[in-house]
Amino acid sequence: MTDVRHLVCPHCHKVNRVPADKLSSGGNCGACKQPLWPDQVLELTEQSFASHTGRSDLPVLVDFWASWCGPCKMMAPQFEQAAKAWHGKVRFAKLNTEQAPGPAGRFAIRSIPTLILFQNGREVARQSGAMNQAQISQWLQSRGIR
């Protein structure tokens, strides 16, 4: 029997069943036929946040940020690079706290940028402050993500 993982489509937000050994090779959504691993970091909304953090079998790392935040802007390219390095292992996503105050409030975001790592719908780790790609990778590894 094949080990299957659930992965939420970044376009239509439907849950897809993907063989574990095929996660990093990409593939397309069964519903909308768009790529399951786009080239850019996923932009979450109030509506898509719960689907991606709660229904994916892969860890989801969310960057809570705002457009006026200097450290957030400085970290953005580093976050993108880390996303490429962790392709197929961790879903990287961003949530603009000004456009989606609901999740930011529920998770008591007090400073930005704040990274929260979700697994199986639960927060498992949190880190506030800007980090570079190496620090993000090291932080994920220290949380047992390989």
Side-chain angles (χ1 to χ4, degrees):
M1 192 182 294
T2 304
D3 187 20
V4 175
R5 298 280 190 263
H6 293 101
L7 185 62
V8 180
C9 175
H11 306 282
C12 71
H13 313 294
K14 302 281 186 199
V15 178
N16 287 261
R17 292 169 42 93
V18 180
D21 61 344
K22 303 283 186 199
L23 279 172
S24 63
S25 64
N28 293 328
C29 174
C32 73
K33 311 301 184 220
Q34 295 289 322
L36 288 172
W37 287 100
D39 292 334
Q40 66 278 0
V41 169
L42 175 63
E43 292 281 343
L44 295 176
T45 64
E46 294 250 5
Q47 294 75 27
S48 64
F49 179 83
S51 294
H52 286 275
T53 58
R55 300 184 68 199
S56 176
D57 288 336
L58 285 182
V60 179
L61 181 61
V62 179
D63 173 15
F64 289 81
W65 70 286
S67 60
W68 51 263
C69 170
C72 297
K73 290 178 184 179
M74 289 174 42
M75 189 175 87
Q78 298 295 313
F79 194 73
E80 291 273 348
Q81 289 177 349
K84 289 181 174 117
W86 287 87
H87 178 88
K89 298 174 188 168
V90 177
R91 172 77 80 197
F92 278 64
K94 297 177 78 65
L95 183 85
N96 186 324
T97 58
E98 292 182 311
Q99 294 173 354
R106 273 194 311 280
F107 288 94
I109 301 301
R110 301 287 180 247
S111 65
I112 52 176
T114 292
L115 299 180
I116 298 181
L117 181 63
F118 293 91
Q119 286 186 298
N120 302 316
R122 294 181 31 236
E123 176 182 339
V124 295
R126 176 185 295 232
Q127 177 68 43
S128 292
M131 294 191 288
N132 64 33
Q133 176 190 356
Q135 291 169 321
I136 294 168
S137 291
Q138 185 178 37
W139 183 74
L140 285 169
Q141 290 170 350
S142 74
R143 298 306 179 264
I145 309 296
R146 301 279 177 240

